[in-house]
Amino acid sequence: MSGKAIPSKADKKRIIGHDGWGPLALALLIGTIGGFVFNWLRMPLAWMLGACVFSTVAAFFGLRIGMRIRLRQGMIIILGVLLGSGFTPDLVQRLGEWAVSLCVLTGMTMTGASLCYVWLRVFTGWDRVTCYFASMPGGLNDMTIMGGALGGDERSIALAHALRILTVVLTIPIWYRLVNGAQTSVLTMVHGPTGNDWKDYAVLIACGIVGAAVGRLLRLPAAFMMGPMIASAIVHLGGLTDSQPPGVLVAAAQVVVGTGIGCRFVGTNFDKLHKEMAASIGAAFLLIGCAVGFAMITVKLTGLNLDATVLSYAPGGFAEMSLIGLALGIEIAMVATHHLFRLFLIVLTGPLVFRTFLRRAP
């Protein structure tokens, strides 16, 4: 047989988009350029969203781009280790101060997700699995991976979450700037310790390798993220290390994951996305409304600061909300605790709730 053989079903499971080293190299180049541009523009989740946007545009224009699943899985392990590093002994000691607020946050998460699920079912043509995981108020990577594993459309889930993050991160700082006069143009990332030695890196590498292996053995949802995340959280809470993966490696991981999301739009007709994009933005504003409403209830019950509570409840990512809190002078520990709690709540209970109440629904 002359020419390239048609990829087998097994081959298709190992690639996203077009197969071959050429499409992979082109995809990574485009994704890296997108990350640099978004980082220069000081956008949230710059490296991942920049890579996602640029690779998505490239896919719509018909460029031959592709992503290897194993490369993506390796980078997801790095992000899992990074997420687990946010759990420190000091963070746990302060949980008691926000017990009531965390309880209200649980109710807000359930309410917001339910409203968004109904909204997306009404205003999109997505199936139940896709709407369910697209409606979760957190976890772009987690929900995309889990939703795809359970039969949902990863492209639609990623689109909904990307638009959610962009809507929240663009709305909240502008609101505080216009209403309170807050300056949000100098957001700076909080870096981990700079004096890491080989022992710190050995612990992080072990978290990634052992966590991924155990996660697959236990058949955890999104094992390549959940396993390393849990392992990293354990060693950080145990005081074995307080280090984080190097920033360059984290940026590279975000580029690969973002590019992989964009590659899923290969062969997709842009004209079919207008309705879904509008619905996703509407769902984001529903979540913002829930955050504000439940924050007001929490303030009345606890006397906590309203701005800090709103930011803690806002349906954005952990890193983005922490950065905004830093710029606004809001207590980062409170914001971090609530967003990490919500992410664990969503990741750990999301698949269980789906299997219990929705999988067998007519």
Side-chain angles (χ1 to χ4, degrees), residues 156-180:
S156 298
I157 297 171
L159 173 69
H161 283 284
L163 288 173
R164 168 183 60 81
I165 292 174
L166 286 175
T167 301
V168 172
V169 174
L170 291 176
T171 300
I172 291 180
I174 291 175
W175 169 264
Y176 280 106
R177 179 70 181 90
L178 295 178
V179 176
N180 297 346

Side-chain angles (χ1 to χ4, degrees), residues 117 121 128-129 353-362:
Y117 174 79
R121 287 289 284 169
R128 289 183 292 107
V129 182
V353 173
F354 173 78
R355 291 190 179 99
T356 303
F357 296 102
L358 291 179
R359 166 157 279 189
R360 295 183 177 85

